[in-house]
Amino acid sequence: QVQVMESGGGLVQAGGSLRLSCTTSGLTFRNYAMGWFRQAPGKEREGVSCIKWNGVSTFYTDSVKGRFTISRDNAKNTLYLQMNNLKPEDTAMYYCAAATTWVNGGGWPLTTGDKIWGQGTQVTVSS
């Protein structure tokens, strides 16, 4: 059974930090690009950051550049998102996804292909 599970969310004050983790089972983790997405109430889900199979290539949406860092440990089948200097506008449900396709060309790389989603972890940033 394939599972993707996020953890690490919580309530933090503006300027604080959180580290999200995403563990997988039932799939060959190193064969998948991995991404973090988020969805705030009343808004569409958006891509936050993603990382290629080998961990060399990464992508960040503009609003988190310089504050968030994505990484992966293929030996532990785990994806991470270190979030620093959090802002109230970062408040959202954060989802992890394992993706089969990485698109080069400058835009969000995980626009196509199949994805396996986790259930999400809530991040709330108070002002």
Side-chain angles (χ1 to χ4, degrees):
Q1 183 180 1
V2 176
Q3 286 189 320
V4 176
M5 184 175 296
E6 305 91 339
S7 62
L11 173 64
V12 64
Q13 289 188 331
S17 298
L18 284 173
R19 188 194 197 200
L20 304 184
S21 298
C22 171
T23 58
T24 69
S25 61
L27 56 84
T28 305
F29 182 77
R30 65 180 181 274
N31 289 348
Y32 287 82
M34 298 295 297
W36 288 101
F37 298 75
R38 67 186 179 187
Q39 187 168 19
K43 294 186 177 181
E44 293 188 353
R45 184 166 55 192
E46 64 170 343
V48 176
S49 181
C50 54
I51 187 168
K52 220 170 183 178
W53 303 270
N54 58 10
V56 173
S57 297
T58 60
F59 186 95
Y60 297 90
T61 193
D62 286 345
S63 62
V64 307
K65 284 180 181 177
R67 301 188 298 122
F68 291 10
T69 303
I70 192 170
S71 61
R72 66 188 294 163
D73 186 336
N74 286 348
K76 295 182 178 180
N77 296 341
T78 303
L79 174 74
Y80 303 98
L81 185 68
Q82 177 66 45
M83 306 187 295
N84 297 329
N85 190 21
L86 282 161
K87 303 177 180 181
E89 51 264 42
D90 295 318
T91 295
M93 185 70 79
Y94 283 70
Y95 297 92
C96 170
T100 59
T101 304
W102 180 281
V103 179
N104 293 311
W108 177 249
L110 304 186
T111 53
T112 63
D114 295 328
K115 296 180 184 61
I116 305 169
W117 295 93
Q119 294 299 308
T121 185
Q122 178 68 37
V123 172
T124 303
V125 184
S126 63
S127 57

